[in-house]
């Protein structure tokens, strides 16, 4: 059986945007993502943020890293759509 870890990284613009939506320490500061087999692909748009305040983030890159044996890390690098940079 594989052990798959999911990491999310943010571009600088996306990091500023998500920090405004969900400041650190806020009770709303969590993200729910789909199961690994349903993860978004590059170019897909995710709407993240607290209920009623979701904002679009685009999957700029999806990386796979083999960590040895059956261990993998999948990294989603999120950015903001170009019109909001």
């Amino acid at each position: 059986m594989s052990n798959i870890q999911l990491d999310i990284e943010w571009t600088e613009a996306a990091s500023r945007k998500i920090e405004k939506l969900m400041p650190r320490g806020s009770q709303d500061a969590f993200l729910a993502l789909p199961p690994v087999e349903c993860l978004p692909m590059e170019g897909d748009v995710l709407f993240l943020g607290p209920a009623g305040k979701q904002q679009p983030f685009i999957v700029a890159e999806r990386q796979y890293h083999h960590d040895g044996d059956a261990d993998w890390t999948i990294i989603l690098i999120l950015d903001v759509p170009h019109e909001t940079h």
Side-chain angles (χ1 to χ4, degrees):
M1 177 163 37
S2 294
N3 177 27
I4 299 173
Q5 177 178 324
L6 176 65
D7 287 338
I8 296 178
E9 296 181 3
W10 309 86
T11 63
E12 188 174 325
S15 182
R16 286 191 306 267
K17 186 174 183 179
I18 199 69
E19 181 66 27
K20 288 179 187 174
L21 285 172
M22 300 184 326
R24 295 180 199 271
S26 167
Q27 288 183 343
D28 293 329
F30 68 92
L31 298 174
L33 293 171
V36 171
E37 59 272 9
C38 300
L39 285 178
M41 301 297 291
E42 288 181 16
D44 285 351
V45 176
L46 304 176
F47 287 85
L48 304 174
K53 297 181 182 179
Q54 292 92 354
Q55 294 293 309
F57 291 86
I58 191 166
V59 178
E61 190 174 336
R62 188 162 116 166
Q63 301 176 356
Y64 298 87
H65 295 278
H66 184 234
D67 300 325
D69 295 329
D71 297 335
W72 289 84
T73 300
I74 300 172
I75 300 172
L76 297 180
I77 300 174
L78 302 184
D79 197 1
V80 294
H82 292 292
E83 64 271 4
T84 60
H85 270 257

